[in-house]
Amino acid sequence: QKVAVLASSLAYNKLAGHTTRAAAAQKLLNATMKTNPWGLLAAGITAAVAGLVAYHNKQKEVSATDKAMKEIQDSITSQYAEQKGKIDKLLSTLENERNSLNKRKAALEELRKIVPGYHAELTNEGKLIRNNKKAIDDYLTALNRKIAMQAYEEKLTEQYRKKAELEMRLEDEKKAHSKAEQDRRSLKTTEYNAAGQKVVTWDAYKEPKYIIAEQNAASAVKGTQAELAEIDKTIGQINTKMEQFKDVIKTVTTEIEE
């Protein structure tokens, strides 16, 4: 574990351009490696695992929008199938001449309640006349549009709620990162030697722990920022889909009773 911490410190200081501190961390790492030659392997495994976790998280971020859009489509399909199934059953009952006239009339009455534009009639002899099925087809088209709009609006509201929660979490994480950064910097002390020259020192053994804390805090910030970016992407796609229905909203609301 100590080797992994020192390796992390070395990498951090090299990336930050702190050559003196990187050299000190390298010296400590080399000294530790002499007593624990398996430490480097452990450090390498730790880094590899961390990389795999980061990759997995990235893959989840990429699929978040696709998942949200699939949930919307599944909801639309389920609700539409339920309503269409009910209408298909009523139509089947109405058109089946083997059913009693009263049963067929009950089905017709129910269909008229659902589809106001459907004007079919049954004669006393049981003959179906004025069977304007186009009214049912038009209704189902309008119904699908309305269900879709409702599903998109619900998901949009959910995404904005999540966004607000993430924005609050991000503020807290930024504060935590700022504190972790300040804690690490507090390890540095400035003194003047007898010649009046400024000498900057720091606790090389404590620094790795503070570096890891700072890196974890920074990772939390980046993770939340990535989630926010994905939510913005989802919101954008939902708005695009809703825009496609914009021209038919008035038609939908007049064809189907709320």
Side-chain angles (χ1 to χ4, degrees):
Q1 183 180 6
K2 184 177 180 181
V3 172
V5 171
L6 288 171
S8 176
S9 176
L10 173 61
Y12 173 84
N13 284 304
K14 279 190 174 181
L15 289 172
H18 301 153
T19 55
T20 303
R21 292 162 68 178
Q26 181 71 69
K27 185 176 180 180
L28 287 171
L29 178 61
N30 292 340
T32 305
M33 284 297 301
K34 289 180 180 179
T35 59
N36 184 13
W38 292 100
L40 188 58
L41 176 61
I45 293 173
T46 300
V49 172
L52 288 173
V53 170
Y55 174 77
H56 177 65
N57 289 338
K58 183 62 178 177
Q59 291 300 106
K60 288 197 298 183
E61 290 167 9
V62 170
S63 65
T65 296
D66 292 337
K67 180 181 177 182
M69 300 306 289
K70 184 179 183 302
E71 287 174 351
I72 294 173
Q73 190 56 52
D74 288 346
S75 176
I76 294 171
T77 300
S78 175
Q79 293 182 62
Y80 177 76
E82 181 180 354
Q83 295 299 318
K84 186 177 185 301
K86 183 179 180 180
I87 290 174
D88 287 345
K89 183 179 179 181
L90 289 170
L91 269 176
S92 177
T93 300
L94 172 63
E95 294 174 345
N96 188 349
E97 295 180 356
R98 294 181 180 179
N99 291 326
S100 68
L101 185 59
N102 287 338
K103 186 174 182 179
R104 294 175 69 196
K105 283 184 176 180
L108 175 58
E109 186 64 25
E110 188 66 23
L111 273 171
R112 283 175 171 173
K113 290 179 182 178
I114 297 173
V115 187
Y118 186 57
H119 303 305
E121 295 180 7
L122 277 171
T123 66
N124 291 333
E125 294 76 24
K127 184 178 180 180
L128 184 63
I129 60 175
R130 298 177 184 174
N131 187 18
N132 58 329
K133 281 188 175 181
K134 186 177 184 304
I136 293 177
D137 293 338
D138 291 343
Y139 170 83
L140 288 172
T141 298
L143 175 66
N144 188 48
R145 291 168 179 165
K146 181 179 180 180
I147 290 174
M149 283 297 296
Q150 290 176 337
Y152 282 120
E153 286 172 354
E154 288 173 4
K155 181 60 72 173
L156 188 62
T157 299
E158 176 189 307
Q159 293 300 305
Y160 275 118
R161 176 184 58 77
K162 288 182 177 180
K163 182 176 181 179
E165 292 174 353
L166 284 171
E167 286 174 339
M168 289 189 289
R169 190 176 85 186
L170 181 60
E171 287 303 310
D172 291 338
E173 289 173 345
K174 283 182 176 179
K175 291 177 183 177
H177 176 245
S178 178
K179 184 180 183 304
E181 186 178 23
Q182 290 174 2
D183 288 344
R184 178 184 59 77
R185 290 180 176 178
S186 68
L187 294 175
K188 182 176 68 174
T189 58
T190 302
E191 298 177 347
Y192 291 89
N193 59 21
Q197 297 173 324
K198 184 170 71 173
V199 179
V200 179
T201 60
W202 69 95
D203 192 328
Y205 282 100
K206 284 185 178 180
E207 187 182 35
K209 181 180 70 174
Y210 284 82
I211 288 174
I212 290 176
E214 183 182 350
Q215 290 173 337
N216 289 340
S219 295
V221 170
K222 289 181 180 179
T224 301
Q225 288 174 333
E227 289 184 61
L228 279 168
E230 195 67 22
I231 282 184
D232 284 336
K233 179 181 175 183
T234 303
I235 289 173
Q237 288 197 18
I238 292 174
N239 281 326
T240 298
K241 287 289 185 180
M242 291 179 70
E243 188 68 23
Q244 295 173 0
F245 288 101
K246 189 174 182 180
D247 294 337
V248 297
I249 291 177
K250 290 182 180 180
T251 303
V252 173
T253 54
T254 55
E255 290 180 348
I256 304 177
E257 295 180 354
E258 294 292 342

